[in-house]
């Protein structure tokens, strides 16, 4: 007989079994359908064979995905059929869909309901409704509370294989080829023996001294002492390894043998200490874990290359690693003298974490979302508190797959089946419709029954209480919950989302046509709901979305804002944008006021921070009775000087089309009391002035739009000079002037470039623009273009550099400037590791009551982060996000159109952007 029945009287069991044999007890193995990678089964053919020998009928649902072929089950005596309704016990690995449940049956699978997991409560409700008896493998434990049915070992084995593969990729991204490059993902091997051989082969190369010396000795830390950790250690042991005590890690991480790798197994007493006295007492810890803290980040992590985490986190217990801990661990190491560009040192010691526990928000606090077999790795950047799907960039390589044993499905099935098999018969010898108390179950099986006869069993009635508590908490939270609709997912959206999601009560719906960007945002941040949609083409859907939110933030092009504003007016929802308050928006002033809503505009960099810095200075000057006699402000988003290596001296971190169109806009400004008007069409580029306030940057500037309109809102009607302008590197305007001459900055519709027409090449388009017949010889076209450019060699060089005389197809667009913008976005992006910069200089001339003059200078210079946000994204995104938060929190209460010109608005924003690292300086020159 089976082991599970050894506790009962043999004669009774025989009689009981005989009775059920007469009734032809049937077991069914259901098809796994929850995940494409789920190829396991709860029992292997050898277990089925034993059951059929004992007289039980075994049904197996057909599945081409199952790793063990159906014919093996048939050989073992199983019947392959779709209909499993005659079975008294239906077993699987993962949960079945609710609509596939059969009433009043016994089911056994991993239900993931014992913590009242919200995602699986509908399943539990359906199980109760259909009076199903549910056995949960996770709760099959012995008298010591240790699980007796689990895949744990194979999670450890697969996780270790995966992270060795990931380390190979991460090392390569950091400039090092290592033997780990020859190890694949676990599912690439037919079985674990093949994987062991691959790991041994890599280990052989390590033993020969083929690891790069500049990476130093590698150390692996294993947490937990259960089967998960043991499985990982078993695979690790295929490398030339030496296990050391945790306190020895510091020494071996610095001076260990490069021909081996080092491992240590971490138990509680190695890193947990009581807060009041720094000691560890296991009995006290079990009673009061909240009185303890972990010293892992101090004593162990600084000397760890790779953490293999196999421990689950319980409420009130110390976490192994927090975000703050990790920020300190990722401080760059000082480069040794021996390090070179070709042989770099590692940026920091801790390179990778394989969280086999896959316990989101658990012992690894910042592991908030599992990775998948399809996308196994991500990088966690503790400084930005973001993750991105890559093995490159700053941070720690993370692997946290929650179905690891599915990568080695045959061995995992056999291993799991060996553990489950002894308990199958007693689960099988009962009907789900019979009262639970009449069943003669062993303690292992009885205590794993979550639900029976339409009710939670007494041991698991706490689940309902957990649900009620959570629902109550959610109900209370609903009162504080704020919903934000963010339109656009481009360059600026990252800082906006990052800032707002710091408040757990803010939920954000992001709408964008850019599916990939949406997915990135959803991966990086919590509380994000993505909607893939073109706002301008789905008016009704947009209106419906606006109605469900407290605030809309529009990062769309400025031309779309009136359309969005009208939806906000209709639904009485507040709006924030970073763009200019255009005439089209001003026309909505009365409607906005009538709706009783707040529409905040010009809440970015320029416009935005330029207003705020000006008004802070102007208001302070007025407080001492000074009069403003001049105001000049220039601002530009540029590549950092070392990355301005192209004829345009420019790269795009902002809307390319907007940048191009700005060069043909009209401009108006006041100089020494005279109004200067610059007509549209490119004359702006002839009004360029060298800017020498930062001589090393070699800048030039030109006027931007109508500066005179700010005299009244700034309250500086006394100013005789009023000029707001754009900064670029010297040579930009000359190059752009060439594009204007060629007719490339033309926003008019151009039907030949539509997606419905045959594609044109740039060569063909240029022939049309310069008026020669196509096709033309290259030298003929070049000479015609050169002539059109009035023999300007620099402008011709830029045209050639961009490939505008070649055979590359012109991107489909509504206009020529639209096509050029798309082309430039591809040709002039910021490359990996490149950064942008923001430069702003404002000069305010003051006359004091005493008669003396003062020139006040305000400087703002911000650099982008190599692997994080661009300077433009930060300086536009954070002000917009801060303003949005102020509206949500009731700090901005004015109704109607609002721009940041009053102290109650600009004061808090300037203070808060400083906290985000956006710093500015001021200085004065006093004239007698």
């Amino acid at each position: 007989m089976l082991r599970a029945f050894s506790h009962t009287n043999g004669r009774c069991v025989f009689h009981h079994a005989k009775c059920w044999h007469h009734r032809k007890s049937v077991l069914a193995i259901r098809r796994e359908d929850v995940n494409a990678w789920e190829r396991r089964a709860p029992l292997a053919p050898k277990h089925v064979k034993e059951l059929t020998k004992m007289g039980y009928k075994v049904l197996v649902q057909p599945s081409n995905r199952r790793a063990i072929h159906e014919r093996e089950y048939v050989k073992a005596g199983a019947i392959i059929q779709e209909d499993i309704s005659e079975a008294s016990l239906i077993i699987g690995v993962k949960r079945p869909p609710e609509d596939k449940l059969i009433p009043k049956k016994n089911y056994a699978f991993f239900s993931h309901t014992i913590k009242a997991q919200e995602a699986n409560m509908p399943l539990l409700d359906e199980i109760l409704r259909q009076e199903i008896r549910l056995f949960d493998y996770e709760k099959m434990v012995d008298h010591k509370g240790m699980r007796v049915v689990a895949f744990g070992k194979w999670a450890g084995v697969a996780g270790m294989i995966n992270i060795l593969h990931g380390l190979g990729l991460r090392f390569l991204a950091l400039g090092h080829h290592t033997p780990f490059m020859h190890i694949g993902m676990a599912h690439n091997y037919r079985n674990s023996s093949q994987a062991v051989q691959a790991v041994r082969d890599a280990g052989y190369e390590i033993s020969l001294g083929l690891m790069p010396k500049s990476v130093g000795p590698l150390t692996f830390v294993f947490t937990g002492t259960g089967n998960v950790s043991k499985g990982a250690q078993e695979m690790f042991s295929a490398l030339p390894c030496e296990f050391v005590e945790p306190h020895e890690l510091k020494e071996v991480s610095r001076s260990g043998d490069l021909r081996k790798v080092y491992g240590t197994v971490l138990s509680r007493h190695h890193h947990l200490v009581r807060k009041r006295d720094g000691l560890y007492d296991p009995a006290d810890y079990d009673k009061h874990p909240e009185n303890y803290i972990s010293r892992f980040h101090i004593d162990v992590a600084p000397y760890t290359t790779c953490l293999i985490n196999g421990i689950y986190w319980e409420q009130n217990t110390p976490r192994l690693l927090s975000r703050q801990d990790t920020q300190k661990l990722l401080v760059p190491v000082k480069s040794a003298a021996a390090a070179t560009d070709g042989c770099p040192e590692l940026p920091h010691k801790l390179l990778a974490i394989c969280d086999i526990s896959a316990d989101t928000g658990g012992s690894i606090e910042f592991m908030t979302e599992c990775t998948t077999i399809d996308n196994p790795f991500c990088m966690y950047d503790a400084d930005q508190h973001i993750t991105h799907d890559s093995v490159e960039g700053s941070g720690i390589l993370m692997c946290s797959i929650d179905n690891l044993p599915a990568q080695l499905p045959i061995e995992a099935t056999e291993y799991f089946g060996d553990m489950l098999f002894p308990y199958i018969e007693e689960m099988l010898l009962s009907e789900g419709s019979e009262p639970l108390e009449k069943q003669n179950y062993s303690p292992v099986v009885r205590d794993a029954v979550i639900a029976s006869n339409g009710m939670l069993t007494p041991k698991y009635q706490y689940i309902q209480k957990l649900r009620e508590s959570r629902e109550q908490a959610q109900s209370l939270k609903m009162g504080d919950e704020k919903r934000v609709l963010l339109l656009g997912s481009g360059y600026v959206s990252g800082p906006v989302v990052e800032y707002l999601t710091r408040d757990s009560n803010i939920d954000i719906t992001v709408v964008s046509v850019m599916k990939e960007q949406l997915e990135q945002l959803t991966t990086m941040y919590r509380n994000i709901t993505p909607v893939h949609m073109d706002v301008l083409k789905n008016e009704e859907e947009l209106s419906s979305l606006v109605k469900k939110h407290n605030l809309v933030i529009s990062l769309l092009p400025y031309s779309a804002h009136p359309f969005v504003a009208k939806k906000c007016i209709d639904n009485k929802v507040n709006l924030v944008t970073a763009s200019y308050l255009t005439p089209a928006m001003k026309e909505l002033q009365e409607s906005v006021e009538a709706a009783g809503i707040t529409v905040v505009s010009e809440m970015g960099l320029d416009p935005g921070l330029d207003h705020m810095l000006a008004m802070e200075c102007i208001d302070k000057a007025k407080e001492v009775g000074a009069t403003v006699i001049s105001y000049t402000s220039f601002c530009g988003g540029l590549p950092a000087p070392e990355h301005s290596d192209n004829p345009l001296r420019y790269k795009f971190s902002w809307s390319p089309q907007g940048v191009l169109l700005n060069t043909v806009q009209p401009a108006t400004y006041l100089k020494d009391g005279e109004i200067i008007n610059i007509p549209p069409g490119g004359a702006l580029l002839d009004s360029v002035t060298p800017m020498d306030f930062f001589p090393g940057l070699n800048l030039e500037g030109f006027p931007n739009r109508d500066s005179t309109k700010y005299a009244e809102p700034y309250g500086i009607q006394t100013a005789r000079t009023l000029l707001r302008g754009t900064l670029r590197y010297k040579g930009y305007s000359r190059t752009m002037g060439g594009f204007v001459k060629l007719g490339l900055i033309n926003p008019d519709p151009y039907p030949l470039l539509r997606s419905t027409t045959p594609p044109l090449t740039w060569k063909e388009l240029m022939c049309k623009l310069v008026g020669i017949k196509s096709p033309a010889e290259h030298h003929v076209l070049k000479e015609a273009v050169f002539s059109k450019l009035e023999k300007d060699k620099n402008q011709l060089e830029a045209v050639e550099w961009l490939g505008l005389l070649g055979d590359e197809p012109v991107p489909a667009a509504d206009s020529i400037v639209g096509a050029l913008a798309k082309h430039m976005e591809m040709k002039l992006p910021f490359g990996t590791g490149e950064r942008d910069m923001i430069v702003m200089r404002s000069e305010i001339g003051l006359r004091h009551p005493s008669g003396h003059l003062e020139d006040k200078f305000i400087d703002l210079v911000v650099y982008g982060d190599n692997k994080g946000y661009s300077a433009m994204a930060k300086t536009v995104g954070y002000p917009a996000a801060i303003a949005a938060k102020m509206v949500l929190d009731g700090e901005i209460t004015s109704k109607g159109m609002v721009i940041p010109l009053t102290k109650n608005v600009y004061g808090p924003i300037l203070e808060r952007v400083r906290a985000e690292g956006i710093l500015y300086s001021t200085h004065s020159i006093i004239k007698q």
Side-chain angles (χ1 to χ4, degrees):
M1 289 300 285
L2 300 176
R3 191 184 70 200
F5 280 80
S6 61
H7 67 286
T8 62
N9 182 285
R11 188 171 56 186
C12 291
V13 169
F14 177 78
H15 176 77
H16 194 179
K18 189 174 180 181
C19 172
W20 278 97
H21 289 174
H22 177 71
R23 292 171 60 181
K24 294 183 179 179
S25 296
V26 179
L27 169 73
I29 299 175
R30 64 173 300 274
R31 175 174 51 250
E32 300 297 327
D33 42 21
V34 71
N35 183 285
W37 284 96
E38 192 49 80
R39 300 172 291 158
R40 294 172 288 177
L43 296 177
K46 65 178 182 178
H47 307 117
V48 170
K49 186 174 183 179
E50 289 299 314
L51 288 168
T52 55
K53 279 184 180 179
M54 294 164 59
Y56 295 109
K57 184 177 181 180
V58 179
L59 305 177
V60 177
Q61 274 193 322
S63 173
N64 288 345
R65 183 180 289 150
R66 193 180 291 121
I68 299 177
H69 199 277
E70 290 173 359
R71 67 186 176 200
E72 301 301 321
Y73 284 99
V74 172
K75 285 181 185 178
I79 299 169
I80 308 298
Q81 69 178 49
E82 184 67 30
D83 183 4
I84 55 174
S85 59
E86 67 175 302
S88 59
L89 173 64
I90 300 170
I91 62 174
V93 176
K94 295 291 189 179
R95 53 160 289 170
E98 286 99 48
D99 61 355
K100 297 290 179 66
L101 292 171
I102 303 173
K104 298 185 178 181
K105 297 290 185 183
N106 292 306
Y107 274 86
F109 54 87
F110 287 107
S111 73
H112 300 296
T113 59
I114 59 174
K115 295 181 183 178
Q117 291 97 317
E118 193 167 3
N120 292 321
M121 289 303 95
L123 171 69
L124 183 59
D125 288 339
E126 195 61 22
I127 285 170
L128 293 171
R129 190 184 72 80
Q130 297 197 32
E131 299 183 18
I132 287 168
R133 182 172 297 148
L134 169 61
F135 302 93
D136 193 317
Y137 304 136
E138 192 171 354
K139 299 307 293 181
M140 296 180 74
V141 298
D142 62 18
H143 66 283
K144 295 180 180 179
M146 302 296 291
R147 288 174 61 182
V148 296
V149 179
F151 285 100
K153 171 188 172 181
W154 293 100
V157 170
M160 193 70 223
I161 298 167
N162 292 341
I163 201 62
L164 291 176
H165 169 71
L167 278 171
L169 298 176
R170 179 59 178 155
F171 275 126
L172 189 64
L174 293 171
H176 309 280
H177 170 79
T178 65
F180 299 125
M181 280 300 295
H182 304 305
I183 300 173
M185 289 288 288
H187 59 266
N188 290 336
Y189 300 103
R190 186 179 298 276
N191 52 48
S192 61
S193 298
Q194 287 190 353
V196 167
Q197 189 57 53
V199 175
R200 283 178 179 161
D201 289 345
Y204 178 68
E205 293 186 21
I206 292 172
S207 69
L208 294 177
L210 298 182
M211 280 294 292
K213 292 182 180 179
S214 59
V215 307
L218 303 186
T219 54
F220 293 76
V221 173
F222 299 85
T223 62
T225 55
N227 289 329
V228 169
S229 183
K230 288 175 182 175
Q233 292 173 50
E234 182 180 310
M235 185 56 63
F236 176 74
S237 296
L239 295 169
C241 62
E242 178 183 342
F243 279 89
V244 298
E245 288 299 311
H247 70 269
E248 297 176 299
L249 272 185
K250 183 176 181 179
E251 179 62 28
V252 299
S253 72
R254 293 175 177 173
S255 56
D257 190 345
L258 295 180
R259 293 169 298 177
K260 63 172 75 170
V261 295
Y262 294 88
T264 193
V265 180
L266 197 72
S267 296
R268 288 177 177 177
H269 69 276
H270 290 125
H271 68 104
L272 294 177
V273 295
R274 194 158 40 208
K275 295 174 185 176
R276 60 180 170 83
D277 57 11
L279 300 177
Y280 175 70
D281 180 338
D284 181 58
Y285 177 79
D286 287 340
K287 293 178 182 177
H288 302 289
E290 70 278 3
N291 294 336
Y292 287 74
I293 59 171
S294 172
R295 288 182 55 86
F296 176 77
H297 66 288
I298 299 170
D299 298 339
V300 182
Y303 318 111
T304 302
T305 305
C306 179
L307 168 64
I308 314 296
N309 184 44
I311 56 175
Y312 287 88
W313 180 73
E314 295 290 341
Q315 197 74 31
N316 299 322
T317 62
R319 298 185 194 273
L320 197 65
L321 271 180
S322 70
R323 176 195 174 189
Q324 289 74 22
D325 298 337
T326 310
Q327 282 179 312
K328 297 171 185 174
L329 292 170
L330 299 191
V331 173
V333 297
K334 292 182 179 178
S335 183
T340 66
D341 288 344
C343 304
E345 285 194 327
L346 299 178
H348 36 75
K349 184 64 179 177
L350 183 59
L351 288 187
I353 296 175
C354 182
D355 192 358
I356 300 176
S357 75
D359 188 15
T360 55
S363 55
I364 309 296
E365 181 186 28
F366 47 84
M367 199 290 283
T368 57
E369 186 171 356
C370 293
T371 58
T372 65
I373 298 174
D374 294 302
N375 297 291
F377 305 111
C378 67
M379 293 295 298
Y380 173 69
D381 184 335
D383 285 330
Q384 298 286 343
H385 192 41
I386 58 175
T387 57
H388 50 93
D389 293 332
S390 175
V391 295
E392 299 180 345
S394 301
I396 300 174
L397 182 77
M398 300 288 296
C399 181
S400 52
I401 299 168
D402 64 359
N403 58 339
L404 286 165
Q407 292 184 273
L408 296 165
I410 295 177
E411 288 161 295
T413 294
E414 292 175 345
Y415 175 86
F416 185 82
D418 287 344
M419 301 177 82
L420 176 63
F421 181 70
Y423 305 100
I424 285 290
E425 191 173 25
E426 59 178 301
M427 289 191 281
L428 184 57
L429 296 181
S430 66
E431 285 289 345
S433 58
E434 291 187 343
L436 179 62
E437 56 271 17
K438 290 187 177 182
Q439 308 307 313
N440 191 24
Y441 293 142
S442 66
V444 170
V445 173
R446 183 189 65 241
D447 290 347
V449 180
I450 306 291
S452 182
N453 309 108
M455 296 182 293
L456 292 170
T457 58
K459 186 176 180 180
Y460 297 100
Q461 286 175 358
Y462 72 86
I463 294 176
Q464 183 59 32
K465 293 178 182 177
L466 279 179
R467 293 180 71 177
E468 290 170 358
S469 298
R470 184 178 62 228
E471 287 166 4
Q472 183 179 9
Q474 287 175 342
S475 176
L476 291 172
K477 184 183 173 185
M478 285 297 289
D480 299 325
E481 193 175 78
K482 294 152 187 171
R483 304 198 66 197
V484 174
L485 179 63
L486 177 63
L487 305 179
S489 61
Y491 299 110
V492 176
S493 60
V496 173
V497 173
E498 188 276 323
Y499 186 87
L500 291 177
T501 52
R502 294 176 194 174
D503 186 338
S504 61
N505 289 325
I506 295 180
D507 290 322
I508 303 178
T509 301
V510 185
V511 182
S512 175
V513 294
M514 308 300 289
K515 190 173 184 180
E516 189 173 326
Q517 291 176 352
L518 273 177
E519 290 172 351
Q520 288 174 352
L521 286 173
T522 307
T523 301
M524 289 179 184
Y525 304 105
R526 292 184 181 184
N527 298 353
I528 298 292
T529 302
V531 176
H532 184 224
M533 182 179 83
D534 186 337
V535 167
L536 301 180
K537 295 180 180 178
N538 293 273
E539 188 170 346
E540 288 185 12
E541 289 85 345
L542 173 62
S543 187
S544 177
L545 281 170
V546 169
K547 186 184 300 183
K548 297 174 184 175
H549 292 79
N550 306 106
L551 175 80
V552 176
I553 302 174
S554 179
L555 300 179
L556 300 173
Y558 70 87
S559 58
H561 291 156
F563 172 75
V564 174
K566 289 173 185 175
K567 300 303 173 192
C568 292
I569 291 166
D570 292 343
N571 294 287
K572 294 182 169 53
V573 175
N574 298 322
L575 171 66
V576 173
T577 84
S579 302
Y580 280 104
L581 185 59
T582 60
M585 285 290 283
K586 285 182 178 179
E587 289 177 4
L588 301 174
Q589 171 78 25
E590 289 185 8
S591 300
V592 169
E593 291 175 354
I597 64 171
T598 302
V599 174
V600 183
S601 299
E602 307 196 6
M603 196 57 75
L605 167 67
D606 176 6
L609 288 177
D610 56 347
H611 295 330
M612 296 183 242
L613 293 173
M615 290 309 302
E616 182 181 52
C617 179
I618 291 167
D619 284 346
K620 286 180 179 178
K622 289 181 177 180
E623 286 173 7
V624 298
T627 302
V628 176
I629 58 175
S630 67
Y631 172 76
T632 304
S633 180
F634 281 86
C635 180
L638 306 161
E642 67 271 27
H643 303 310
S644 59
D645 51 349
N646 63 69
L648 206 59
R649 294 145 177 92
Y650 195 79
K651 291 184 179 178
F652 289 100
S653 65
W654 191 237
S655 168
Q657 188 160 332
V659 170
L660 296 176
L661 287 175
N662 280 346
T663 61
V664 293
Q665 296 290 335
T668 302
Y669 61 96
L670 182 69
K671 183 167 180 63
D672 297 329
E674 181 186 356
I675 292 180
I676 310 295
N677 289 301
I678 300 173
L684 193 66
L685 301 172
D686 298 325
S687 305
V688 175
T689 305
M691 294 286 162
D692 59 359
F693 48 83
F694 292 136
L697 292 181
N698 198 21
L699 299 171
E700 64 183 25
F702 50 87
N704 185 16
R705 302 185 185 235
D706 183 0
S707 301
T708 62
K709 68 180 182 179
Y710 288 97
E712 184 176 344
Y714 279 15
I716 54 173
Q717 293 92 334
T718 53
R720 290 180 54 77
T721 294
L722 183 50
L723 171 60
R724 300 174 79 253
T726 299
L727 289 175
R728 294 288 184 262
Y729 287 122
K730 189 176 180 182
Y732 170 89
S733 299
R734 182 176 176 181
T735 301
M736 290 299 298
F739 298 147
V740 172
K741 292 175 189 175
L742 293 171
L744 290 166
I745 316 296
N746 186 346
D748 296 336
Y750 198 78
L752 291 177
L753 295 181
R754 290 176 183 162
S755 58
T756 54
T757 61
L760 284 177
T761 65
W762 279 108
K763 182 178 181 181
E764 290 168 336
L765 178 60
M766 292 300 290
C767 285
K768 294 179 184 296
L769 292 179
V770 298
I772 65 174
K773 189 175 180 180
S774 178
E777 295 290 332
H778 179 77
H779 71 277
V780 174
L781 175 59
K782 181 176 177 179
E783 185 58 37
V785 169
F786 192 39
S787 177
K788 190 85 170 179
L789 294 174
E790 300 170 353
K791 307 294 183 180
D792 189 312
K793 291 182 179 179
N794 285 22
Q795 293 176 345
L796 180 63
E797 178 192 346
V799 169
E800 288 190 293
W801 189 90
L802 284 169
L804 302 184
L805 304 184
D807 293 322
E808 191 173 340
V810 180
D814 293 328
S815 63
I816 295 175
V817 71
L820 182 63
K822 291 180 179 180
H823 184 71
M824 283 189 167
E825 191 169 13
M826 292 185 288
K827 293 288 185 180
L828 296 169
F830 282 89
T832 302
E834 294 185 346
R835 57 183 183 159
D836 69 333
M837 68 184 295
I838 295 298
V839 180
M840 183 189 294
R841 159 60 73 95
S842 297
E843 301 179 15
I844 302 176
L846 304 175
R847 177 179 286 114
H848 288 270
S850 61
H852 73 267
L853 303 178
E854 177 185 4
D855 285 338
K856 195 86 171 178
F857 301 93
I858 307 169
D859 292 324
L860 172 68
V861 179
V862 180
Y863 283 89
D865 302 318
N866 284 341
K867 306 296 183 182
Y869 300 133
S870 68
M872 183 65 77
K874 289 191 287 188
T875 54
V876 175
Y878 282 124
I882 292 166
K885 187 76 163 58
M886 290 175 69
V887 174
L888 288 170
D889 292 346
E891 290 184 81
I892 297 177
T893 57
S894 302
K895 303 305 177 186
M897 299 292 188
V898 175
I899 58 176
L901 300 180
T902 56
K903 191 172 183 178
N904 67 312
V905 175
Y906 72 67
I909 295 176
L910 288 178
E911 180 182 347
R912 292 168 199 178
V913 296
R914 283 195 291 269
E916 303 304 326
I918 300 173
L919 307 175
Y920 56 92
S921 61
T922 62
H923 67 279
S924 295
I925 296 176
I926 306 295
K927 301 175 184 178
Q928 298 300 328

